[in-house]
Amino acid sequence: MMSVAAPVVQNNTDGSLTIQYVPSTSGVHELNFTYNEKPVPGGPLRLNVDATDNGHLITAYGPGLSHGVCGERQQFHVVSGHSSNDAIDVKIVGPARTDILKKEFRNGILSIEYLPIFPGEYSVSLQHKGKHIVGSPFTPTITGQGRKKSHLSIAETSDYDLGINVSVDPATLQGTVQFPDGTAEPCILKKLASGKLGIGSFETAKSGTYAVDIQHDGDPYSGSPFQIRISEAQVANAAKVKATGSIEKALANEWNEIRLGATEAGYGTLGVTVEGGHHSDMEYSVLPSGREFSVKYRPHEPGYYLLNLKFGDNHLPGSPFVVNVGGKPSGRIRALTSRQVQAPEMCVAGQECTVFLALPGVSPLDMEATLTSPAGTTDLCEIRDLPENQFEIRFKPSDLGTNILSLKQKGIHISGSPFHFTVGKPSAGGTHRMEFGGPGVEGGALGSKGIFNIYTHEAGAGLLSVAIDGPSKASLEILDKIAGFVTVCYTVDKPGLYTIGVKFNDEHVPRSPCKVNIDPECKEAKMVTIQALRDRGIEVDKPATFGVNLNGVRGSLSGRVFAPSGNEEEMFIEDMDKDLYSCRFIPKENGVYYVHIRFNNVHIPGSPFPMLVGKLGADPALVLVSGKGLERGVVGKPSKFLVATTCPGTGLLTVSIQGPSKVPMSCNELDEGYEFTYTPKAPGQYLIAIKYCHVGIPGSPFQAIVTGRGKASDMTETSNMYIEAVEKKPGRVKQFHGDATKVVVTGPGLKKGFMGRAANFNIDIKDAGQDLLTVAMVSNNGSPVRELSVKKQKAGAYVAHYIADEKGDHVLTVRWGANDVPGSPFMVGIN
């Protein structure tokens, strides 16, 4: 039974009270305060009391031992009866580095302040003479904003120049580096800015001789293996990286600069990570020396952040740093809505399927929808224009398996297209199987509703969350028609930059979050029109021109043009006549360009305008992929997958692999496409994104689960490879599955015939599946008969005719695929 004791209360006549209480036992004591019989806020006060071996009492109390909020200073006190703070050993451990900001001893009381950066459970250890006091270690629960991580990787410090003039595409080379201790692993080969062949992500942990073996098409490359001598001074050493600038204090919503110098640090990758309750924008530039860098970061909100600076696998001295970010809050307001997404009903081959999506401002006459079956046949879908910018797409799949749904506007895939569409047993699902896109995530204007679509058909059931934060709180709504697509509608009250985040089961989907600029309302911009704009039929390196008519309004006209690669290209605007301007640019790439035309810094109607440069033949929907490397892998072992490009035409093929480690990649050109090989260095999930002409292929990104042992990076690593894919001539080889034993051959022509006279026999294949039918007939001396033909009579039934000019036995062979049918070869006597 809990005992209750009465403390001694003394009025100090200065508005304060002194309370004295002598505990008789060790343990947790609670001190309750009431005023006029009402509890005083903040109570009760929990006192952790322990008795030492010399009769002293140690008392620990304060909120920092039980709870707190991340990003705020937490405090607790220890009363030990000793004359200094050395009697108590304090250690604090949490989800990340936790600094003790204050350890002050005054009037026999040791006051501790610490700063938890992230929410979670912390451990506070209080020891006296090597022994925990009663209640230690304490486990305060810290609540608050989740952990947001922003990072960048600087690979220039890990590039080693082999000094080799390379005459082939580095993507076709395979490299292995042998370390001084005899171990070996695949390495990343790349063409450096000098034009020479080099090693990427090369980290020198030890001095000695490294041997680099390079293979091309299975044979040693000229001069291989190459010897690299690494001295002690070239070994990766994080302590030799110099860091100056904003590593302790920074300002929110302003660029804060850090200078990193790795001139004497050896070879390794520089990693910079900013962690806190909010995201940070980050960028870096290379300074003229080549091994010095300017890193800039811009936290979105004030507060405490952790700054991690690493070189190779090791922190720089003092890292991670606790950065006190001051300045004014951004004033950004977040709107969040969620909806439980149900798994779609199973689609059955031969039955009609329907999907709905919203496409504001799109004419149904400009839309085209097709469905490509696993067998490669493509059929047009029915498109119905519905009220409120909705479109209904109807189709009747003929085959089970993964079909490809292509949605195009004026011949250009809409955002996210082409899509996988599973008929029959649903796919495994997952966050990576979800796509989102539409006008509402590309831009908008005040007073207009932003609309975009989320493709959920392949993701399965789960919780879908959409968040929008920016200068004003968005009015946000999710419309789920349970038919493959979810439509999101939003409106905002202020112009500016907004961030849209889409999560599925609390994980960001690919390309989330994204930034959207909402223009202020401008009536004059709505008056400006485009003249003679060609949206296709434009050639590379030839000028593309169009006109802009102001129609009497006054203001500033500006234009920008972005290539398929995302690079901005130069646009010329000339004043031709009153209210009439001419715009011109010269495209340098094949693919879809986007032309932005603004008036008074506001998009005119229809801007940005898509313009297709080059041929229409390069279609990502026709790219096929296969291979175990798209699904799984093992650390240290090569994983492979094939990208078949026999149908889509010529274009830029991009493969990007994101995961817990960088991966050496190589590519081998085959008759039907390109075989990619990658070797993961750490276990975990890897996302493999494949694009053709800068558009994702169906099913991309793919998720590969890698098992085994290896050290994962502190950040998500990305490895890229670019191939100028050429048009493949052989075409796709169709696989047949037939049963020759089910073929039935009958008729008089199987037994005998007459010279110069036609004979015939029947071939029934209706129960034999699909395969290649071969019929051949030769005389006793090996000469073919004069005439031999096979004609289809009806489904599954053929009749064969022949005329032989030689007397004697003839050999008649009938095969279904690679196998003879029952009775073949037949001996036919010719009289």
Side-chain angles (χ1 to χ4, degrees):
M1 182 175 180
M2 184 179 294
S3 61
V4 179
V8 178
V9 180
Q10 179 182 343
N11 191 338
N12 297 325
T13 69
D14 59 357
S16 66
L17 299 174
T18 298
I19 301 172
Q20 294 182 336
Y21 165 64
V22 180
S24 57
T25 59
S26 297
V28 179
H29 298 248
E30 287 189 353
L31 193 57
N32 292 278
F33 301 90
T34 59
Y35 184 74
N36 289 336
E37 297 184 352
K38 292 183 179 180
V40 175
L45 178 63
R46 294 174 61 88
L47 304 172
N48 294 272
V49 180
D50 197 7
T52 65
D53 52 6
N54 58 5
H56 287 113
L57 294 177
I58 299 177
T59 304
Y61 63 96
L65 296 176
S66 60
H67 62 276
V69 178
C70 65
E72 297 181 4
R73 291 171 177 252
Q74 309 301 321
Q75 187 179 64
F76 62 90
H77 309 277
V78 181
V79 182
S80 64
H82 291 270
S83 58
S84 71
N85 63 357
D86 296 334
I88 303 298
D89 182 30
V90 182
K91 291 183 179 179
I92 302 175
V93 180
R97 170 179 168 175
T98 307
D99 283 357
I100 297 177
L101 303 180
K102 178 182 176 182
K103 190 175 182 182
E104 182 181 76
F105 187 78
R106 181 181 296 177
N107 299 327
I109 299 176
L110 177 63
S111 297
I112 306 292
E113 284 189 3
Y114 67 96
L115 180 65
I117 301 296
F118 304 119
E121 189 173 273
Y122 285 68
S123 174
V124 178
S125 170
L126 301 179
Q127 293 187 355
H128 176 257
K129 293 184 178 181
K131 295 183 179 181
H132 286 283
I133 72 168
V134 170
S136 176
F138 302 93
T139 55
T141 299
I142 305 299
T143 60
Q145 287 280 355
R147 187 173 184 171
K148 305 293 193 304
K149 180 185 290 188
S150 306
H151 65 263
L152 56 82
S153 181
I154 302 174
E156 283 84 351
T157 52
S158 64
D159 290 344
Y160 186 90
D161 193 339
L162 292 171
I164 306 169
N165 291 313
V166 60
S167 57
V168 298
D169 187 346
T172 64
L173 300 175
Q174 300 86 40
T176 303
V177 59
Q178 185 178 49
F179 297 94
D181 61 4
T183 60
E185 67 177 34
C187 63
I188 299 172
L189 299 175
K190 60 191 293 188
K191 192 172 184 178
L192 304 179
S194 63
K196 306 286 188 179
L197 184 67
I199 305 176
S201 298
F202 183 55
E203 296 187 0
T204 52
K206 297 179 181 179
S207 61
T209 301
Y210 293 70
V212 182
D213 178 59
I214 300 178
Q215 300 280 323
H216 181 247
D217 290 337
D219 298 319
Y221 191 71
S222 177
S224 176
F226 302 93
Q227 303 294 320
I228 301 174
R229 179 66 187 174
I230 298 297
S231 65
E232 285 291 342
Q234 294 175 303
V235 173
N237 190 342
K240 292 185 178 180
V241 179
K242 298 177 181 178
T244 58
S246 303
I247 58 177
E248 294 182 350
K249 292 185 178 181
L251 292 175
N253 300 300
E254 293 187 18
W255 287 110
N256 304 275
E257 185 183 29
I258 302 170
R259 290 289 183 99
L260 297 175
T263 306
E264 302 175 354
Y267 291 92
T269 301
L270 273 170
V272 183
T273 305
V274 180
E275 301 177 78
H278 301 272
H279 284 288
S280 299
D281 301 321
M282 301 184 72
E283 64 182 28
Y284 81 95
S285 58
V286 183
L287 300 180
S289 69
R291 289 182 66 86
E292 292 183 306
F293 307 89
S294 170
V295 177
K296 295 181 179 180
Y297 67 100
R298 182 170 57 189
H300 292 178
E301 301 292 344
Y304 287 96
Y305 291 74
L306 274 187
L307 173 64
N308 295 274
L309 301 177
K310 297 185 73 175
F311 186 68
D313 292 331
N314 300 312
H315 281 277
L316 273 61
S319 174
F321 301 93
V322 177
V323 184
N324 185 0
V325 177
K328 296 180 179 179
S330 67
R332 297 172 71 85
I333 305 172
R334 167 167 288 203
L336 175 67
T337 187
S338 301
R339 179 182 287 270
Q340 191 70 33
V341 176
Q342 303 298 323
E345 294 183 3
M346 187 176 73
C347 298
V348 180
Q351 293 186 3
E352 189 172 72
C353 300
T354 304
V355 297
F356 295 87
L357 72 161
L359 294 171
V362 175
S363 169
L365 299 178
D366 295 333
M367 286 291 296
E368 175 189 329
T370 60
L371 186 75
T372 303
S373 72
T377 59
T378 300
D379 297 309
L380 287 173
C381 305
E382 181 184 354
I383 302 176
R384 294 188 177 186
D385 186 16
L386 303 178
E388 299 182 355
N389 305 308
Q390 293 285 328
F391 285 83
E392 180 184 10
I393 314 296
R394 290 186 175 186
F395 50 91
K396 187 179 291 185
S398 57
D399 296 339
L400 294 173
T402 303
N403 290 251
I404 297 170
L405 179 62
S406 298
L407 303 178
K408 297 181 180 180
Q409 180 190 1
K410 294 184 177 180
I412 299 172
H413 284 279
I414 69 169
S415 182
S417 175
F419 306 96
H420 267 175
F421 190 92
T422 301
V423 178
K425 184 180 179 180
S427 63
T431 303
H432 67 287
R433 305 299 300 272
M434 190 170 282
E435 294 273 359
F436 75 101
V441 294
E442 297 166 0
L446 203 63
S448 299
K449 181 181 290 188
I451 297 176
F452 63 93
N453 303 291
I454 304 175
Y455 184 61
T456 62
H457 186 270
E458 300 295 299
L463 182 64
L464 176 66
S465 302
V466 179
I468 301 179
D469 65 87
S472 66
K473 186 172 184 178
S475 175
L476 187 57
E477 183 181 15
I478 296 180
L479 305 175
D480 185 6
K481 294 184 178 293
I482 318 178
F485 282 93
V486 169
T487 299
V488 179
C489 306
Y490 70 91
T491 55
V492 296
D493 298 326
K494 294 181 180 180
L497 189 64
Y498 288 77
T499 301
I500 298 178
V502 179
K503 288 186 175 183
F504 187 64
N505 290 334
D506 207 31
E507 289 184 19
H508 278 288
V509 307
R511 298 191 301 114
S512 172
C514 64
K515 297 184 182 298
V516 179
N517 190 63
I518 303 298
D519 292 334
E521 191 171 11
C522 179
K523 295 180 180 180
E524 292 79 6
K526 297 179 181 179
M527 300 292 293
V528 180
T529 56
I530 291 287
Q531 296 179 343
L533 181 95
R534 295 172 60 195
D535 56 15
R536 65 192 67 201
I538 305 165
E539 298 182 30
V540 172
D541 292 328
K542 292 189 177 181
T545 61
F546 57 91
V548 179
N549 196 330
L550 302 187
N551 295 312
V553 297
R554 295 291 174 263
S556 173
L557 181 70
S558 61
R560 304 175 71 185
V561 59
F562 291 91
S565 62
N567 297 325
E568 183 175 1
E569 295 188 4
E570 191 173 13
M571 176 185 284
F572 302 94
I573 300 179
E574 299 180 48
D575 187 355
M576 302 297 293
D577 200 350
K578 182 181 179 181
D579 290 349
L580 186 62
Y581 290 80
S582 175
C583 301
R584 178 174 65 92
F585 71 96
I586 301 177
K588 301 295 183 183
E589 303 176 14
N590 278 314
V592 180
Y593 276 70
Y594 285 93
V595 178
H596 298 245
I597 302 297
R598 290 173 174 263
F599 186 77
N600 289 342
N601 205 32
V602 174
H603 279 283
I604 70 171
S607 175
F609 302 93
M611 301 177 69
L612 183 62
V613 175
K615 296 181 179 179
L616 280 169
D619 190 348
L622 302 179
V623 176
L624 302 176
V625 293
S626 60
K628 295 180 180 179
L630 295 172
E631 301 173 357
R632 57 186 178 273
V634 178
V635 172
K637 295 185 178 181
S639 297
K640 296 183 179 183
F641 59 89
L642 173 68
V643 180
T645 58
T646 52
C647 297
T650 302
L652 180 66
L653 175 61
T654 305
V655 176
S656 177
I657 301 181
Q658 278 191 346
S661 74
K662 281 189 175 293
V663 296
M665 297 173 63
S666 63
C667 176
N668 184 28
E669 186 173 358
L670 305 177
D671 289 341
E672 64 269 35
Y674 300 86
E675 183 184 58
F676 290 87
T677 303
Y678 70 96
T679 307
K681 298 181 179 181
Q685 294 182 355
Y686 289 76
L687 286 183
I688 303 172
I690 304 174
K691 291 185 176 182
Y692 202 71
C693 293
H694 306 283
V695 177
I697 70 168
S700 177
F702 304 89
Q703 185 181 77
I705 305 299
V706 173
T707 57
R709 292 185 176 183
K711 186 176 181 180
S713 173
D714 293 337
M715 60 187 73
T716 301
E717 300 284 5
T718 303
S719 306
N720 298 310
M721 181 168 283
Y722 305 91
I723 301 292
E724 286 290 348
V726 297
E727 188 173 359
K728 298 291 181 177
K729 297 295 184 182
R732 185 172 48 181
V733 178
K734 188 170 182 178
Q735 299 295 322
F736 297 101
H737 302 282
D739 186 354
T741 64
K742 299 292 181 66
V743 178
V744 179
V745 184
T746 58
L750 294 176
K751 296 181 179 180
K752 65 179 179 179
F754 297 92
M755 293 174 52
R757 291 171 58 180
N760 60 70
F761 57 91
N762 301 308
I763 305 172
D764 187 341
I765 62 167
K766 64 177 180 295
D767 297 323
Q770 290 184 322
D771 224 319
L772 183 66
L773 177 63
T774 305
V775 180
M777 189 172 183
V778 295
S779 66
N780 200 23
N781 62 13
S783 300
V785 295
R786 188 211 313 174
E787 291 184 17
L788 177 63
S789 63
V790 179
K791 294 183 179 180
K792 184 177 181 179
Q793 285 187 317
K794 59 182 179 180
Y798 292 81
V799 61
H801 301 268
Y802 66 86
I803 299 176
D805 291 333
E806 296 183 31
K807 188 177 181 180
D809 290 338
H810 286 59
V811 179
L812 172 63
T813 301
V814 180
R815 288 180 178 173
W816 187 237
N819 301 311
D820 284 301
V821 305
S824 177
F826 302 90
M827 300 301 296
V828 183
I830 302 297
N831 297 321

